[in-house]
């Protein structure tokens, strides 16, 4: 720009006649942005001197303060350096070519042009995660699985406890906190879990997490290395599969029968293989199977012999409708191989993002240190309110009330499915939780999902929960937690219409 004075260039760029949005900006900001552009695009070169502020102001017909403000900001952000007495100079911020890697060959899949397409810019891990993503975009209404009905949440009590905690909190409640979680909440939880779930633990073994997913992620990272084998259930909760896969574990899908996960004969071939066994014994997700006592004992013995860790995800055990709940698998474990995981996502609300783990004593220190390193802590105000909520009996009362409501919805849904769709499949796993599974006789579940969605109904297909969806049984995973009683009958009627539409499409397709 030596031959073109800066003022002339700025005027040619329309500095003082900018229309639209830029005009809404104060002049000093416009001037700053234009000079910055000139530096970044090379019109102003490193070392070049900017005109004195008075001179530039005169040439542009603006106040001197305007130019001085723009120059100050250029200095502050490192584009220029001002030396008293000698002026303002453009800094050298151009990347040094000698330290830049050379551009890769065009045949390299990660060349710059190909990176412009997001897929090739992503890691293999992210591509796998996205290809098999299970989280639903839609989280309300019939029949989204696993979502509680927050209309019945005791807002007044909860708000009072949260307001009380937030009114004048101590400094520790505003900090990261001890990574083990807020001690009164750990105490309240340990007491609750010993009584309600037969978990063997004292307060110190309880670690508060931001939901079950974070607990699973910690388990994967603290207990296994990339390439280590993890057994998952087949079908499996998509969240566990995603978390373990993203941690680089080698996943082995183990079939689930009517007694729960069925370990292969001699499946654990050597010590340390598998490292992790993930199970949902109280209510298998998504099939609904409850693991038998014999299978629990077998699994514990395998874990002991192989030196594996069992991860017991007890995500919705609060809601059991007929028989008394079987106590936790952890409670049966005499050898400290089980990590118990729980969540408040179903029993309170998912956005709370609070869950917990009960760890074997020797693992507590490693887990809490790792948790601090990876995720820090926090949420202590909520943890404090929750501790009081549990201690004062509101949690147990809420769970009791919701158990009745969900039990009724579950019975209604099962009855309507039998009545309206009896000839097309059968209901599985209706003892507990917030969802049931409708095994389809001959419809294609992914096709039904699409025709149901067109009619405003969420009908999760069962087959993608399997390791090999193309060989999997077809069914629909139907949540009733967030469906009011009076919505169930019409929603099942809409689902029946969606099944008819999927059938019609299939027949049309066959005829073509
Ligand atoms: C099997 C299973 N585990 C855990 C969770 C809850 O995870 P989080 O506590 O991270 O919300 C769910 C929720 O759908 C689930 O289905």
């Amino acid at each position: 720009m030596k031959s073109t004075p800066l003022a002339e260039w700025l005027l040619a760029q329309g500095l003082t006649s900018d229309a639209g949005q830029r005009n809404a900006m104060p002049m000093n900001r416009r001037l700053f942005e234009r000079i910055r552009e000139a530096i970044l695009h090379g019109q102003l070169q490193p070392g070049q001197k900017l005109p004195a502020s008075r001179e530039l102001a005169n040439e542009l017909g603006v106040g001197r303060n305007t130019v001085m403000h723009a120059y100050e900001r250029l200095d502050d952000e490192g584009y220029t350096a001002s030396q008293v007495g000698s002026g303002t100079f453009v800094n050298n911020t151009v990347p040094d070519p000698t330290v830049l890697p050379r551009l890769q060959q065009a045949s390299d899949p990660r060349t710059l042009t190909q990176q412009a397409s997001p897929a090739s810019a992503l890691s293999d891990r992210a591509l796998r995660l996205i290809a098999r993503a299970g989280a639903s975009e839609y989280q309300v209404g019939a029949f989204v699985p696993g979502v509680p009905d927050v209309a019945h949440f005791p807002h007044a009590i909860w708000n009072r406890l949260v307001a009380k905690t937030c009114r004048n909190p101590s400094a520790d409640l505003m900090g990261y906190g001890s990574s083990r979680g807020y001690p009164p909440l750990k105490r309240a939880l340990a007491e609750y879990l010993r009584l309600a779930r037969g978990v063997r633990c004292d307060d110190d073994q309880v670690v508060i997490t931001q939901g079950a997913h974070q607990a699973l992620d910690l388990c994967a990272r603290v207990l296994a290395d990339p390439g280590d084998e993890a057994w998952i259930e087949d079908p499996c909760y998509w969240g566990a599969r995603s978390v373990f896969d993203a941690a680089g574990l080698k996943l082995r899908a183990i079939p689930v029968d009517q007694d729960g996960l069925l370990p292969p004969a001699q499946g654990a071939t050597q010590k340390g293989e598998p490292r992790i066994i993930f199970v949902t014994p109280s209510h298998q997700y998504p099939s609904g199977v409850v693991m038998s006592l014999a299978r629990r004992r077998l699994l514990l013995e395998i874990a002991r012999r192989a030196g594996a860790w069992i991860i017991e995800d007890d995500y919705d055990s609060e809601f059991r409708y007929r028989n008394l709940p079987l106590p936790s698998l952890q409670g049966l474990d005499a050898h400290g191989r089980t990590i118990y995981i729980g969540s408040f996502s179903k029993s309170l609300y998912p956005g709370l993002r609070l869950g917990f783990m009960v760890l074997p004593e020797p693992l507590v220190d490693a887990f809490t240190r790792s948790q601090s390193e990876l995720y820090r802590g926090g949420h202590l105000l909520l943890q404090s309110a929750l501790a009081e909520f549990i201690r004062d009996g509101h949690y147990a009362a809420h769970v009791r009330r919701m158990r009745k409501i969900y039990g009724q919805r579950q019975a209604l849904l099962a009855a309507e499915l039998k009545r309206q769709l009896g000839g097309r499949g059968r209901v599985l796993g209706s003892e507990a939780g917030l969802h049931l599974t409708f095994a389809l006789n001959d419809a294609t579940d992914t096709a039904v999902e699409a025709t149901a969605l067109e009619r405003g109904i969420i009908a999760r297909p069962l087959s993608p929960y399997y390791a090999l969806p193309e060989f999997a049984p077809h069914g629909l995973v139907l949540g009733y937690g967030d469906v009011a009683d009076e919505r169930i009958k019409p929603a099942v009627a809409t689902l029946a219409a969606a099944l008819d539409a999927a059938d019609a499409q299939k027949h049309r397709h066959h005829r073509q």
Side-chain angles (χ1 to χ4, degrees):
M1 197 175 290
K2 271 202 185 82
S3 54
T4 321
L6 181 60
E8 236 174 78
W9 183 81
L10 287 166
L11 290 169
Q13 297 297 307
L15 175 82
T16 48
S17 59
D18 267 353
Q21 207 187 2
R22 268 186 190 242
N23 245 348
M25 276 187 217
M27 177 56 87
N28 63 16
R29 174 115 176 260
R30 268 190 270 165
L31 184 57
F32 158 78
E33 289 201 350
R34 281 297 157 103
I35 299 179
R36 185 182 64 159
E37 273 167 37
I39 294 173
L40 288 175
H41 297 130
Q43 281 102 346
L44 286 169
Q45 289 289 312
Q48 198 169 333
K49 186 175 179 190
L50 299 189
S53 54
R54 190 187 307 277
E55 188 190 326
L56 187 62
N58 280 341
E59 288 178 78
L60 293 175
V62 300
R64 188 177 169 211
N65 271 349
T66 302
V67 179
M68 281 170 54
H69 273 126
Y71 277 17
E72 265 168 36
R73 183 145 177 220
L74 287 164
D75 265 17
D76 288 347
E77 295 193 15
Y79 292 98
T80 57
S82 294
Q83 290 154 20
V84 185
S86 39
T88 297
F89 295 86
V90 176
N91 270 337
N92 188 0
T93 53
V94 179
D96 177 355
T98 61
V99 292
L100 287 177
R102 273 195 286 161
L103 283 183
Q104 292 149 320
Q105 295 301 308
S107 59
D108 186 317
R110 289 175 199 249
T111 54
L112 286 179
T113 39
Q114 281 170 326
Q115 270 189 19
S117 94
S120 56
L122 299 180
S123 66
D124 290 347
R125 177 197 298 126
L127 291 175
R128 273 200 315 277
L129 195 64
I130 292 160
R132 291 212 69 177
S136 171
E137 261 183 74
Y138 311 96
Q139 294 286 348
V140 285
F143 292 105
V144 59
V147 174
D149 187 346
V150 292
H152 292 273
F153 184 72
H155 292 283
I157 297 172
W158 179 253
N159 291 349
R160 179 171 55 74
L161 293 176
V162 172
K164 190 172 117 192
T165 317
C166 293
R167 204 164 298 134
N168 195 10
S170 61
D172 359 321
L173 287 182
M174 306 286 287
Y176 294 118
S178 145
S179 53
R180 292 169 189 228
Y182 183 60
L185 178 58
K186 285 150 54 89
R187 206 170 309 129
L189 265 173
E191 206 175 291
Y192 176 80
L193 292 171
R194 281 192 297 262
L195 284 173
R197 303 295 302 123
V199 172
R200 300 184 194 202
C201 66
D202 58 34
D203 312 359
D204 276 351
Q205 288 169 264
V206 178
V207 170
I208 309 296
T209 63
Q210 288 178 27
H213 274 226
Q214 194 186 66
L216 292 172
D217 193 43
L218 263 176
C219 288
R221 288 170 196 279
V222 176
L223 301 176
D225 286 306
D228 282 346
E229 185 169 294
W231 286 4
I232 56 170
E233 298 168 314
D234 196 24
C236 185
Y237 173 47
W238 56 263
R241 183 174 58 204
S242 291
V243 168
F244 294 151
D245 189 35
L249 305 191
K250 189 171 77 192
L251 302 186
R252 184 163 168 199
I254 309 288
V256 169
D257 68 7
Q258 70 286 353
D259 287 323
L261 182 119
L262 173 64
Q266 306 289 306
T269 46
Q270 41 181 288
K271 200 156 177 61
E273 205 166 283
R275 286 288 289 172
I276 283 176
I277 303 173
F278 171 78
V279 278
T280 46
S282 301
H283 186 226
Q284 204 276 330
Y285 195 94
S287 74
V289 168
V290 177
M291 191 183 282
S292 67
L293 182 59
R295 202 55 71 72
R296 288 169 191 242
R297 296 190 62 187
L298 172 66
L299 212 54
L300 288 168
E301 187 52 25
I302 288 175
R304 188 179 73 80
R305 291 188 187 191
W309 298 103
I310 296 177
I311 299 176
E312 174 180 20
D313 181 0
D314 210 24
Y315 64 105
D316 68 0
S317 59
E318 293 83 359
F319 303 119
R320 196 171 170 84
Y321 311 120
R322 271 169 276 288
N323 309 318
L324 274 178
L326 273 180
S328 65
L329 180 60
Q330 192 267 10
L332 267 186
D333 180 3
H335 299 281
R337 304 303 307 175
T338 307
I339 291 124
Y340 177 92
I341 290 179
S343 170
F344 292 104
S345 291
K346 319 278 176 212
S347 55
L348 294 178
Y349 63 98
L352 183 60
R353 300 315 299 139
L354 284 177
F356 51 89
M357 296 190 266
V358 178
L359 295 161
E361 180 55 42
L363 293 181
V364 171
D365 199 44
F367 266 76
T368 52
R369 281 166 180 265
S370 304
Q371 191 186 28
S372 285
E373 289 303 307
L374 295 173
Y375 315 112
R376 310 301 281 126
H379 285 171
L380 288 161
L381 291 167
L382 283 175
Q383 290 189 34
S384 165
L386 182 55
E388 242 184 282
F389 189 77
I390 297 176
R391 214 175 40 223
D392 294 352
H394 302 302
Y395 182 70
H398 177 59
V399 164
R400 258 197 319 275
R401 196 168 47 246
M402 295 315 291
R403 189 183 294 135
K404 220 166 136 204
I405 292 173
Y406 295 144
Q408 197 167 313
R409 288 181 184 174
Q410 200 251 30
L412 263 173
L413 176 58
E416 282 305 321
L417 287 170
K418 272 184 207 136
R419 201 174 63 79
Q420 300 191 47
L421 287 172
R424 326 209 40 176
R426 70 201 161 88
V427 173
L428 307 175
S430 56
E431 286 185 39
L434 301 184
H435 74 272
L436 51 73
T437 303
F438 187 68
L440 292 166
N441 290 345
D442 51 16
T444 305
D445 53 12
T446 44
V448 179
E449 178 192 30
T451 51
L453 199 57
E454 283 162 13
R455 290 163 175 75
I457 295 285
I458 294 159
R460 276 276 190 124
L462 176 66
S463 57
Y465 285 90
Y466 284 82
L468 298 173
E470 49 294 19
F471 302 110
H474 283 226
L476 302 172
V477 181
L478 303 174
Y480 44 82
D482 192 28
V483 195
D485 293 6
E486 65 279 9
R487 281 280 302 130
I488 291 178
K489 191 172 164 187
V492 173
T494 312
L495 184 61
L499 264 151
D500 288 342
D503 274 355
Q505 268 175 15
K506 199 168 171 178
H507 290 136
R508 261 201 310 278
H509 190 72
H510 280 314
R511 275 201 302 271
Q512 276 162 11

